[in-house]
Amino acid sequence: MTEFKSGVDLSMMEGVLRQYQDDSTSLIMILQQAQSIYGYLPQEVIYHVAERTGNSPAKVMGVATFYSYFRLSPMGTYQIMLCQGTACHVNGADRIRLAITQELGINNGETTEDGMFTLNEVACIGCCSLAPVMMINGETYGNLTPEKTIKILRDLRKRESGEGIRLLVGQGSCGVSAGAARVAKVLSGHMTATDNFTVQKTGCIGMCYLEPIVDIYEGDTLLHRLVRVTETDALGIVEAVRKKDFKKLEPMFISDDDARFLKKQKRVALRHCGIIDPTSIDDYIKNDGYKGLDKALQKEPEEIIEEIKVSGLAGRGGAGFPTWFKWDAARKAEGEEKHLICNADEGDPGAFMDRAVIESDPHNLIEGMLIAAYAIGATDMFVYIRAEYPLAVEHLGKAIEQARSRGLLGENILGSGFSCDLSIKIGAGAFVCGEETALIESMEGKRGMPRLKPPFPAQKGYLNEPSNINNVETFANVPWIIQNGGAAFSAMGTENSKGTKVFALTGKAKRGGLVEVPMGNSLKDIIFDIAGGIKEDRQYKAVQMGGPSGGCIPAALADTPIDYKALSATGAIMGSGGMVVMDDSTCMVNMARFFLDFTARESCGKCVPCRIGTTRMKEILDRICEGQGQEGDIELLEELCLAIRDGALCGLGQTAPNPVLTTIRYFRDEYEAHIRDKKCPACECSALITITIDPEKCTGCTVCSKKCPVECISGTRKEPHVINQDACIKCKQCISSCKFDAILVQ
C-alpha cells in the first residue's frame, strides 16, 4: 500500500462496485481489486461488498477464506511467496523455509512485528527450473540456498531502513552498453551474507561518457562516485567497502573537473534519475513520489490547470506551446470520452532525453500523466513509445503494474472517485509519428500521416474524441510543479521561457550526456562550462539544435541564451532538446545534406512540397558535396526552402529547410568553396579531398599501410610510402595511425 491510505475508506470501493454492478459472477474479481486497494480484505470491506452485491457476509467470507490468494489481515511491505512445489521440495525448500523462519521469526501466513515481511507458502510458482524459488513483491528469486535467502532478506531490510552502505550501479541503456549490468552481477557475486552493504540498480545519472558508474552511499549520503568501472574492479570495490577504506579506489573516483557536469545543473525532470531504483515503486514513494498526485486530487481540475498556467510550463517536445492552454482546451471540449497521450516517439537523431526519463524514473511520468488526466477529465491514458527503446518499455510496463497494484491506476484512485488507467502503444519506426496527428493515426493502426488542422486533437483526436498530447519531459515536470507550486517553477528561467530544460549533449563535446539547466543559460555555459569544451581542444564551430527540424548556430553566437525566442531568432529551434556540438573538422554543407537525407527518407509523402521538395534539395546537396555544384545552386536551395516551409502540411516539412537555411546563412563561404573552388574547407567531403604522404616526414614505419583497409599504401620499410589515389577511399585511417604527421589532406 502507499503511505496515503489510512483506515478503511469504503468510498475507495465505489468504482470497483460500479464496474461489476451488473455481473453476478464477479465476486472474486471484486475481492481481488479490493485487496489491491487496501493490501488485504478488512472486515468492513467484506460486509460492504456483501451489502452492495446482494450476498450474505457468510458467502463473501467463505470465498475470501477459501482462496489462498486472499488475506484477511494486513500484509507486510514485502510479501514472500515461498514455493512448495515438487521441484522445490526435492531441491530443499524445507531448508529455505527454516532459514526464513529463523531469520524473520514468522511462520506461514504471519507478518513480522515491524510490518515489513509476510510469509505465504504457495503450491507452485511455475519456475520449476529455478528450484528452490520464492517470489517477493512479484520479483522471482531462484536457485536459493539458506545463505542466499538470508542475504536477500537482510538486503531488503537494509534498503527499507536506509542502513548500511549501498552500491548503486547505473543501468540505463548507456550504462548497460558500457558493461554496467556485468559489473553489478560481479559485485553481487563477491558478496556474502555477512556483508553490511547491498548492490542496487539505478538509472542514468546523465554522465554517459563516464559509464559504468558505481555510486557508494551510506544511508542517503553519497560517499564516493566511481567511474569507468570494469568487472575486474569489482572485487577491489567489495573489499574496500568491507574495510571502509577507499584509498585504493581513488583512481576510479570522479575528477573534480568531471564533477562540475552535475554541479552546474538544476534537476527537476531528472531529479530522481540515477538516484532511485526505477523498478521499485517503494523507492519512488520514499523520494516524495505520488505526493503531487495526492495533492492534485484534493483540488478542483481547474485549480490544477491554473497552477500549470502560473508555472509557465511550455511543451518540451519542440513547439513550446503553453501546456495549460492545451489542457484547458481538452477539458472544455465536448465529449464524454477524453484521452491523454504521452508522445515518447523520440525520433530526432541525437536526442535521448525521453528514453532516459522513462528508463530511470517511469513512475514520475505516470504521476505527471495522472495529474494531467485528472485536470482534463481523461478516461484513459496512453504512452506512444519507440520500439527502439526496449528497456524503457520494460521499466514502464513494470511501473504500470506496480502502480495498478497500489490503487494508483484503475478505479477510484486514492479514494478520490477519479478513475483512469494507462496503456503502452509501441511504434514501428517512423519519424513523422512525432507529429501529434500522425501519432494519433499510428495509434489507430493506420499509416502515420498528419491530419489537416483544424480540428485540433483537443476537439477531435484519438478515435475522433477530445485528446491531449504532451511529451515525456513535459509530464515529468508536472509532479514537481504541483508539489512545489507553479510560482517556484516560473521563478527559474527567463520572461519568455520558464523552468528548466533537458538537453542531450552529443557530438564533439568532451562530456556527453544529459544536461538539465534553467532556461536563460547560454550555449557557451553548457558547451564549455558543463560539457568541458571541445574534444582534443579543437576549435568550436557550431551547435545543431532541434534535430532535423532545427538549425546550426555558429560559434559567434555562443552567448545566445537558452530561450524559445532567442533561439528562434538564430534560425534554429529549441526542439525536443538535441544538442549536437561540432568542431572545425565538420563540413557544414555535408551536415545539411545529412539532415536532408533523413527528412527526405522520413517524409510520409502526403504533401508535394515535403515529398518532392526535400528530395530535390537532397539531390542538389549531393552534387555540391561531390564536386559537381553549379553557380545558382545556393539561390535555388534558398528558393526551395521557402517553398517547402510555406507549403508543407505538417511541422516535419515546414521545418525541414532549417538546417539548410542556417548553414547557408552562417557558412555561405563553405558552400561557395564547394561550388567554385571544388574544395571542402573542413576536408570532410571525400570527393573534394586528396590524401598524400609527405616524403620528408615519412619514416617508412609501415603502420599506415597495415591500417589501410583497401591496401592502397605501398613502399618498403624505412623508405617513404605512397598512396594509390585511384584505390584510396578517403577513410582517413592512415591519418589517425601516423605518429609523425606525415599524411596530408588537401
PDB file of all heavy atoms in Angstrom, residues 620-636:
ATOM      1  N   ILE A 620      20.547  18.320 -54.858  1.00  0.00           N
ATOM      2  CA  ILE A 620      21.436  19.471 -55.061  1.00  0.00           C
ATOM      3  C   ILE A 620      22.618  19.392 -54.091  1.00  0.00           C
ATOM      4  O   ILE A 620      23.774  19.614 -54.470  1.00  0.00           O
ATOM      5  CB  ILE A 620      20.671  20.791 -54.879  1.00  0.00           C
ATOM      6  CG1 ILE A 620      19.597  20.934 -55.961  1.00  0.00           C
ATOM      7  CG2 ILE A 620      21.615  21.987 -54.911  1.00  0.00           C
ATOM      8  CD1 ILE A 620      18.628  22.087 -55.717  1.00  0.00           C
ATOM      9  N   LEU A 621      22.338  19.087 -52.826  1.00  0.00           N
ATOM     10  CA  LEU A 621      23.403  18.993 -51.825  1.00  0.00           C
ATOM     11  C   LEU A 621      24.359  17.842 -52.143  1.00  0.00           C
ATOM     12  O   LEU A 621      25.566  17.945 -51.912  1.00  0.00           O
ATOM     13  CB  LEU A 621      22.799  18.830 -50.431  1.00  0.00           C
ATOM     14  CG  LEU A 621      22.089  20.075 -49.894  1.00  0.00           C
ATOM     15  CD1 LEU A 621      21.225  19.718 -48.692  1.00  0.00           C
ATOM     16  CD2 LEU A 621      23.099  21.153 -49.512  1.00  0.00           C
ATOM     17  N   ASP A 622      23.825  16.751 -52.685  1.00  0.00           N
ATOM     18  CA  ASP A 622      24.689  15.645 -53.112  1.00  0.00           C
ATOM     19  C   ASP A 622      25.669  16.120 -54.178  1.00  0.00           C
ATOM     20  O   ASP A 622      26.872  15.829 -54.113  1.00  0.00           O
ATOM     21  CB  ASP A 622      23.838  14.496 -53.682  1.00  0.00           C
ATOM     22  CG  ASP A 622      23.198  13.644 -52.600  1.00  0.00           C
ATOM     23  OD1 ASP A 622      23.676  13.692 -51.453  1.00  0.00           O
ATOM     24  OD2 ASP A 622      22.226  12.925 -52.911  1.00  0.00           O
ATOM     25  N   ARG A 623      25.154  16.853 -55.155  1.00  0.00           N
ATOM     26  CA  ARG A 623      26.012  17.347 -56.239  1.00  0.00           C
ATOM     27  C   ARG A 623      27.108  18.263 -55.705  1.00  0.00           C
ATOM     28  O   ARG A 623      28.272  18.161 -56.085  1.00  0.00           O
ATOM     29  CB  ARG A 623      25.171  18.108 -57.275  1.00  0.00           C
ATOM     30  CG  ARG A 623      24.361  17.213 -58.200  1.00  0.00           C
ATOM     31  CD  ARG A 623      23.867  17.966 -59.424  1.00  0.00           C
ATOM     32  NE  ARG A 623      22.887  18.987 -59.126  1.00  0.00           N
ATOM     33  CZ  ARG A 623      23.140  20.282 -59.047  1.00  0.00           C
ATOM     34  NH1 ARG A 623      24.372  20.734 -59.200  1.00  0.00           N
ATOM     35  NH2 ARG A 623      22.173  21.151 -58.801  1.00  0.00           N
ATOM     36  N   ILE A 624      26.709  19.155 -54.784  1.00  0.00           N
ATOM     37  CA  ILE A 624      27.685  20.106 -54.244  1.00  0.00           C
ATOM     38  C   ILE A 624      28.796  19.373 -53.497  1.00  0.00           C
ATOM     39  O   ILE A 624      29.984  19.674 -53.663  1.00  0.00           O
ATOM     40  CB  ILE A 624      26.977  21.126 -53.322  1.00  0.00           C
ATOM     41  CG1 ILE A 624      26.021  22.008 -54.136  1.00  0.00           C
ATOM     42  CG2 ILE A 624      28.007  21.991 -52.596  1.00  0.00           C
ATOM     43  CD1 ILE A 624      25.179  22.939 -53.283  1.00  0.00           C
ATOM     44  N   CYS A 625      28.421  18.396 -52.674  1.00  0.00           N
ATOM     45  CA  CYS A 625      29.424  17.659 -51.884  1.00  0.00           C
ATOM     46  C   CYS A 625      30.278  16.734 -52.746  1.00  0.00           C
ATOM     47  O   CYS A 625      31.371  16.331 -52.325  1.00  0.00           O
ATOM     48  CB  CYS A 625      28.736  16.848 -50.786  1.00  0.00           C
ATOM     49  SG  CYS A 625      28.034  17.860 -49.469  1.00  0.00           S
ATOM     50  N   GLU A 626      29.799  16.407 -53.936  1.00  0.00           N
ATOM     51  CA  GLU A 626      30.555  15.537 -54.830  1.00  0.00           C
ATOM     52  C   GLU A 626      31.383  16.323 -55.846  1.00  0.00           C
ATOM     53  O   GLU A 626      31.941  15.752 -56.789  1.00  0.00           O
ATOM     54  CB  GLU A 626      29.598  14.582 -55.548  1.00  0.00           C
ATOM     55  CG  GLU A 626      28.995  13.540 -54.619  1.00  0.00           C
ATOM     56  CD  GLU A 626      27.796  12.823 -55.223  1.00  0.00           C
ATOM     57  OE1 GLU A 626      27.493  13.084 -56.423  1.00  0.00           O
ATOM     58  OE2 GLU A 626      27.156  12.042 -54.506  1.00  0.00           O
ATOM     59  N   GLY A 627      31.434  17.661 -55.667  1.00  0.00           N
ATOM     60  CA  GLY A 627      32.248  18.477 -56.552  1.00  0.00           C
ATOM     61  C   GLY A 627      31.584  18.850 -57.855  1.00  0.00           C
ATOM     62  O   GLY A 627      32.247  19.300 -58.794  1.00  0.00           O
ATOM     63  N   GLN A 628      30.271  18.685 -57.943  1.00  0.00           N
ATOM     64  CA  GLN A 628      29.546  18.986 -59.170  1.00  0.00           C
ATOM     65  C   GLN A 628      28.568  20.149 -58.981  1.00  0.00           C
ATOM     66  O   GLN A 628      27.610  20.311 -59.730  1.00  0.00           O
ATOM     67  CB  GLN A 628      28.791  17.740 -59.644  1.00  0.00           C
ATOM     68  CG  GLN A 628      29.703  16.562 -59.936  1.00  0.00           C
ATOM     69  CD  GLN A 628      28.930  15.283 -60.221  1.00  0.00           C
ATOM     70  OE1 GLN A 628      27.745  15.319 -60.545  1.00  0.00           O
ATOM     71  NE2 GLN A 628      29.603  14.146 -60.105  1.00  0.00           N
ATOM     72  N   GLY A 629      28.813  20.956 -57.958  1.00  0.00           N
ATOM     73  CA  GLY A 629      27.960  22.103 -57.719  1.00  0.00           C
ATOM     74  C   GLY A 629      28.070  23.132 -58.824  1.00  0.00           C
ATOM     75  O   GLY A 629      29.101  23.253 -59.493  1.00  0.00           O
ATOM     76  N   GLN A 630      26.980  23.895 -59.021  1.00  0.00           N
ATOM     77  CA  GLN A 630      26.923  24.884 -60.095  1.00  0.00           C
ATOM     78  C   GLN A 630      26.574  26.246 -59.520  1.00  0.00           C
ATOM     79  O   GLN A 630      25.936  26.350 -58.463  1.00  0.00           O
ATOM     80  CB  GLN A 630      25.873  24.472 -61.138  1.00  0.00           C
ATOM     81  CG  GLN A 630      26.063  23.088 -61.705  1.00  0.00           C
ATOM     82  CD  GLN A 630      24.848  22.627 -62.506  1.00  0.00           C
ATOM     83  OE1 GLN A 630      23.901  23.393 -62.709  1.00  0.00           O
ATOM     84  NE2 GLN A 630      24.882  21.382 -62.964  1.00  0.00           N
ATOM     85  N   GLU A 631      26.948  27.291 -60.240  1.00  0.00           N
ATOM     86  CA  GLU A 631      26.532  28.635 -59.865  1.00  0.00           C
ATOM     87  C   GLU A 631      25.008  28.691 -59.862  1.00  0.00           C
ATOM     88  O   GLU A 631      24.362  28.200 -60.795  1.00  0.00           O
ATOM     89  CB  GLU A 631      27.097  29.667 -60.847  1.00  0.00           C
ATOM     90  CG  GLU A 631      28.593  29.869 -60.738  1.00  0.00           C
ATOM     91  CD  GLU A 631      28.993  30.517 -59.414  1.00  0.00           C
ATOM     92  OE1 GLU A 631      28.133  31.181 -58.794  1.00  0.00           O
ATOM     93  OE2 GLU A 631      30.159  30.342 -59.003  1.00  0.00           O
ATOM     94  N   GLY A 632      24.451  29.281 -58.856  1.00  0.00           N
ATOM     95  CA  GLY A 632      22.997  29.367 -58.731  1.00  0.00           C
ATOM     96  C   GLY A 632      22.401  28.305 -57.829  1.00  0.00           C
ATOM     97  O   GLY A 632      21.226  28.368 -57.461  1.00  0.00           O
ATOM     98  N   ASP A 633      23.215  27.306 -57.450  1.00  0.00           N
ATOM     99  CA  ASP A 633      22.697  26.237 -56.577  1.00  0.00           C
ATOM    100  C   ASP A 633      22.287  26.777 -55.211  1.00  0.00           C
ATOM    101  O   ASP A 633      21.287  26.331 -54.628  1.00  0.00           O
ATOM    102  CB  ASP A 633      23.757  25.142 -56.391  1.00  0.00           C
ATOM    103  CG  ASP A 633      23.737  24.116 -57.521  1.00  0.00           C
ATOM    104  OD1 ASP A 633      22.781  24.153 -58.321  1.00  0.00           O
ATOM    105  OD2 ASP A 633      24.667  23.294 -57.588  1.00  0.00           O
ATOM    106  N   ILE A 634      23.054  27.715 -54.683  1.00  0.00           N
ATOM    107  CA  ILE A 634      22.718  28.263 -53.367  1.00  0.00           C
ATOM    108  C   ILE A 634      21.377  28.977 -53.427  1.00  0.00           C
ATOM    109  O   ILE A 634      20.512  28.786 -52.553  1.00  0.00           O
ATOM    110  CB  ILE A 634      23.817  29.227 -52.880  1.00  0.00           C
ATOM    111  CG1 ILE A 634      25.150  28.484 -52.726  1.00  0.00           C
ATOM    112  CG2 ILE A 634      23.416  29.867 -51.553  1.00  0.00           C
ATOM    113  CD1 ILE A 634      26.308  29.375 -52.344  1.00  0.00           C
ATOM    114  N   GLU A 635      21.195  29.777 -54.452  1.00  0.00           N
ATOM    115  CA  GLU A 635      19.938  30.518 -54.602  1.00  0.00           C
ATOM    116  C   GLU A 635      18.767  29.555 -54.820  1.00  0.00           C
ATOM    117  O   GLU A 635      17.661  29.775 -54.308  1.00  0.00           O
ATOM    118  CB  GLU A 635      20.051  31.497 -55.766  1.00  0.00           C
ATOM    119  CG  GLU A 635      20.997  32.670 -55.532  1.00  0.00           C
ATOM    120  CD  GLU A 635      22.469  32.269 -55.596  1.00  0.00           C
ATOM    121  OE1 GLU A 635      22.784  31.192 -56.172  1.00  0.00           O
ATOM    122  OE2 GLU A 635      23.313  33.029 -55.080  1.00  0.00           O
ATOM    123  N   LEU A 636      19.019  28.491 -55.585  1.00  0.00           N
ATOM    124  CA  LEU A 636      17.965  27.501 -55.826  1.00  0.00           C
ATOM    125  C   LEU A 636      17.577  26.798 -54.525  1.00  0.00           C
ATOM    126  O   LEU A 636      16.392  26.550 -54.264  1.00  0.00           O
ATOM    127  CB  LEU A 636      18.441  26.481 -56.858  1.00  0.00           C
ATOM    128  CG  LEU A 636      17.445  25.367 -57.239  1.00  0.00           C
ATOM    129  CD1 LEU A 636      16.120  25.957 -57.721  1.00  0.00           C
ATOM    130  CD2 LEU A 636      18.048  24.453 -58.309  1.00  0.00           C
TER     131      LEU A 636
END
